[in-house]
Amino acid sequence: MKHSIMRKWQEARNRLRGATHRAAPVGSFVAKAVGVLGKVNPFRYVKKIDRYIIKKFIGTYFYSIALIISISIVFDINENLAKFSTNNAPLRAIVFDYYANFVPYFANLFSPLFVFIAVIFFTSKLAGNSEIIAMMACGMSFKRLLRPYMISAALISALNFYLGAYVIPQGTVVRHNFESLYKNNRKNTSASNVQLQVGDGVIAYIAQYDNIHKTGYGFSLDKFENKKLVSHMTANIIQYDTISDSRYHWKAINYKIRTLKGMREHITSGMEMDTTVMMEPMDLVFSKGQQETFTSPELKRYISKQKDRGSSNVVQYEVEYHKRIATCFASFILTIIGASLSSRKRKGGMGVYLGIGLALSFSYILLQTVSATFAINANTPPMLAAWIPNILYFFIAYFCYKKAPN
């Protein structure tokens, strides 16, 4: 009996050892995987002091936005209240169509300024309370101190790019429609003498176009092959089919088609014909600020399409496309400038350096506007014009960083 119990116990122990040996490779693999994930996990680099600074940065950023935009809304209401009442603008449209899109547009437009103000205010407060001195005394370098600042700037830049590239353009369409109805009371709804390339060797011309009725008058369509005219179509009226399931669907009224084959000519005419012309109403009528109503993918496609057509009216669209990308990097540059200027505890407060910093941030926004104007009116490359402020202020940020306390 005793030997039987001992034998069963040894068999159970051997089975347990075999299971342990078989599980060892699996456990080793899991341990290695956990170790790799731990190394690539970004949160392992975010310490308690980093979370403290990020919280201060993000909180001050949104607080400054709320404060300044609230003041802007008060001034805007005071300026436009008479227009709203004269044009009988409904309260719901004022709140949800105008101001609900007014706030994110201008907040995103002046986001670099808000970033700089947030950095200046909370960093100068940290310096005034000797918190930065304590960090430096514990062996923290200024480069290490900038880590949470850069993380916060990256979060704000990603948010600004997403809003500016995908969300705000849709709201801008609603805001522009409201302004044309109840504020400015005018909108560009017509075009004259429009000529554009709608295909390879295909040129369209419209003498007069009415965007309200989506109707063009004095239409002609010429097709060339090897620089020779092979087809010429004319129509008294051409109207865009807004209810068609397909794009580029037009209806030609009182049309005539001349087909040229060598010395022979074939003429076809009729009262009405459905046709496909590779153009849309948005290609014919241009309004001020139209580039702000496109999302970034739509803007890229529109620029490519207009360049293929030989249109020269694409510079402002290219500037807008590149500016959306360049503005995101402004958060990093102005963050470095603000942190470098305000991280030192100074006798007499931060008045002078705060003034210098605000002057730099305002000059940055001014330079953005000036460079965009040069790109449109002085044939400056659009990409260069959008990046000139960042290139110039990068060297200013580098100089401030070198002069910062270490």
Side-chain angles (χ1 to χ4, degrees):
M1 183 67 178
K2 181 178 179 181
H3 292 292
S4 176
I5 294 174
M6 289 295 294
R7 187 170 55 253
K8 289 182 180 179
W9 181 84
Q10 289 177 354
E11 291 175 357
R13 185 178 62 180
N14 292 334
R15 286 196 299 270
L16 181 61
R17 285 179 177 176
T20 303
H21 287 306
R22 288 192 298 271
V26 179
S28 177
F29 174 77
V30 172
K32 290 180 179 179
V34 171
V36 172
L37 292 176
K39 290 181 180 179
V40 299
N41 181 18
F43 293 102
R44 72 186 291 263
Y45 300 103
V46 181
K47 307 301 181 183
K48 189 172 183 179
I49 186 64
D50 298 322
R51 291 193 293 270
Y52 174 72
I53 293 177
I54 291 172
K55 182 179 178 182
K56 288 282 187 180
F57 192 157
I58 301 296
T60 310
Y61 170 76
F62 284 108
Y63 177 78
S64 62
I65 286 180
L67 182 63
I68 297 177
I69 292 298
S70 299
I71 297 173
S72 301
I73 291 175
V74 172
F75 280 101
D76 190 79
I77 291 175
N78 183 56
E79 182 181 353
N80 296 307
L81 187 59
K83 294 180 181 179
F84 293 158
S85 59
T86 302
N87 296 315
N88 299 318
L91 180 62
R92 180 181 179 84
I94 294 174
V95 175
F96 294 102
D97 292 347
Y98 183 66
Y99 284 110
N101 297 303
F102 171 93
V103 171
Y105 173 78
F106 283 97
N108 196 67
L109 180 65
F110 295 105
S111 179
L113 176 62
F114 296 140
V115 167
F116 185 81
I117 291 175
V119 172
I120 283 285
F121 272 102
F122 91 86
T123 307
S124 60
K125 187 175 181 180
L126 292 179
N129 294 335
S130 301
E131 294 181 67
I132 294 181
I133 295 176
M135 297 176 196
M136 298 292 183
C138 293
M140 179 183 289
S141 65
F142 185 72
K143 180 180 179 181
R144 170 63 182 85
L145 179 64
L146 284 180
R147 180 192 293 177
Y149 286 87
M150 294 296 100
I151 294 174
S152 302
L155 295 175
I156 293 173
S157 296
L159 176 63
N160 289 338
F161 178 77
Y162 176 74
L163 291 176
Y166 298 98
V167 178
I168 293 177
Q170 300 175 7
T172 303
V173 175
V174 179
R175 183 170 59 86
H176 282 183
N177 291 335
F178 175 90
E179 290 176 347
S180 64
L181 289 174
Y182 303 112
K183 185 179 176 183
N184 299 328
N185 218 13
R186 64 180 183 273
K187 188 177 182 180
N188 188 18
T189 59
S190 63
S192 58
N193 297 323
V194 180
Q195 183 175 359
L196 67 160
Q197 182 174 326
V198 296
D200 188 13
V202 182
I203 307 297
Y205 173 80
I206 299 178
Q208 191 69 32
Y209 177 75
D210 179 10
N211 195 44
I212 296 178
H213 300 96
K214 304 292 187 285
T215 303
Y217 305 92
F219 173 77
S220 67
L221 187 70
D222 296 327
K223 183 177 181 181
F224 296 87
E225 291 181 359
N226 298 324
K227 299 182 180 181
K228 292 183 179 180
L229 181 66
V230 297
S231 176
H232 176 70
M233 173 184 175
T234 59
N236 290 345
I237 300 173
I238 186 169
Q239 188 171 29
Y240 187 71
D241 191 350
T242 57
I243 62 174
S244 175
D245 294 333
S246 60
R247 299 169 61 188
Y248 312 119
H249 189 231
W250 295 81
K251 181 180 292 184
I253 300 174
N254 195 11
Y255 69 93
K256 180 185 291 186
I257 303 175
R258 297 172 57 197
T259 306
L260 305 174
K261 293 183 179 180
M263 299 300 293
R264 296 185 178 183
E265 179 182 15
H266 180 70
I267 299 177
T268 304
S269 60
M271 289 299 299
E272 187 175 299
M273 179 184 68
D274 291 334
T275 183
T276 299
V277 184
M278 302 298 288
M279 63 181 184
E280 296 178 282
M282 62 180 295
D283 301 326
L284 304 175
V285 177
F286 300 96
S287 57
K288 183 179 180 181
Q290 184 177 354
Q291 68 274 13
E292 298 173 351
T293 63
F294 293 114
T295 63
S296 288
E298 292 172 346
L299 201 57
K300 188 175 182 180
R301 289 193 296 267
Y302 181 82
I303 292 170
S304 178
K305 182 172 67 174
Q306 292 300 101
K307 282 185 175 180
D308 292 339
R309 290 174 171 175
S311 176
S312 60
N313 190 30
V314 295
V315 178
Q316 60 266 37
Y317 296 89
E318 291 181 290
V319 171
E320 176 67 21
Y321 179 78
H322 293 295
K323 189 173 73 172
R324 291 179 182 179
I325 302 173
T327 304
C328 297
F329 290 90
S331 299
F332 295 96
I333 295 173
L334 293 179
T335 295
I336 294 174
I337 295 175
S340 301
L341 290 176
S342 57
S343 59
R344 190 187 298 273
K345 186 175 182 179
R346 294 178 173 88
K347 187 177 180 180
M350 286 296 301
V352 175
Y353 292 93
L354 179 61
I356 294 173
L358 290 176
L360 287 173
S361 59
F362 277 113
S363 62
Y364 174 86
I365 296 173
L366 178 62
L367 185 59
Q368 274 189 323
T369 305
V370 171
S371 61
T373 304
F374 272 113
I376 297 172
N377 299 323
N379 296 324
T380 305
M383 185 174 181
L384 177 62
W387 283 91
I388 281 177
N390 284 357
I391 295 171
L392 178 60
Y393 277 78
F394 169 79
F395 293 103
I396 297 176
Y398 182 76
F399 175 79
C400 294
Y401 171 76
K402 286 298 183 180
K403 295 295 181 180
N406 288 290

